[in-house]
């Protein structure tokens, strides 16, 4: 789905990291002066990541949330990249396991 649009796609791959997801999103929102999107891929968390991510999505249309059962990191990256709308992709890995 990557297009010719100029901007940055941030991909947060998270496992049981709800607090860290909040921190990363706050940092992205604070420091960005370009067009951006953020894809939060929840890689099978059993903490509050789902609830936190859904609240973020409701507040900011640039944020997208995907849940999947725990997969290898390569599969998680591929699944998240498939919905990125910008060519420049920055990966952030968060885990509390």
């Amino acid at each position: 789905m990557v297009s010719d649009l100029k901007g940055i796609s941030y991909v947060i791959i998270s496992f049981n990291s709800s607090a860290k997801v909040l921190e990363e999103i706050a940092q992205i929102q604070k420091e960005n002066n370009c067009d951006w999107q953020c894809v939060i891929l929840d890689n099978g968390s059993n903490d509050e990541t789902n609830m936190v991510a859904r609240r973020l999505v409701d507040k900011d249309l640039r944020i997208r949330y995907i849940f999947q059962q725990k997969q290898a990191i390569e599969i998680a990256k591929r699944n998240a990249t498939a919905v990125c709308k910008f060519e420049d992709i920055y990966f952030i890995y968060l885990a509390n396991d």
Side-chain angles (χ1 to χ4, degrees):
M1 185 173 158
V2 174
S3 73
D4 292 333
L5 297 173
K6 296 295 180 200
I8 300 172
S9 289
Y10 293 92
V11 172
I12 298 175
I13 297 177
S14 176
F15 178 73
N16 291 340
S17 304
S18 58
K20 290 180 184 177
V21 167
L22 277 174
E23 291 171 15
E24 288 295 331
I25 294 290
Q27 196 69 23
I28 291 168
Q29 290 171 324
K30 182 174 121 182
E31 293 188 3
N32 256 299
N33 58 358
C34 67
D35 199 7
W36 62 272
Q37 79 164 145
C38 183
V39 177
I40 302 168
L41 188 131
D42 183 347
N43 197 19
S45 296
N46 53 22
D47 68 351
E48 295 183 357
T49 299
N50 180 297
M51 183 177 64
V52 167
R54 290 188 186 280
R55 273 190 264 147
L56 290 165
V57 168
D58 288 343
K59 292 179 183 176
D60 192 330
L61 297 176
R62 298 170 294 182
I63 300 171
R64 187 159 179 187
Y65 174 69
I66 301 169
F67 178 85
Q68 69 177 22
Q69 294 300 319
K70 188 146 175 80
Q71 298 284 329
I73 199 72
E74 296 81 18
I75 295 170
K77 284 175 66 174
R78 184 178 64 229
N79 291 340
T81 302
V83 298
C84 288
K85 69 179 189 178
F86 298 116
E87 188 173 320
D88 292 333
I89 301 171
Y90 181 76
F91 290 95
I92 302 165
Y93 304 97
L94 303 175
N96 276 347
D97 53 354

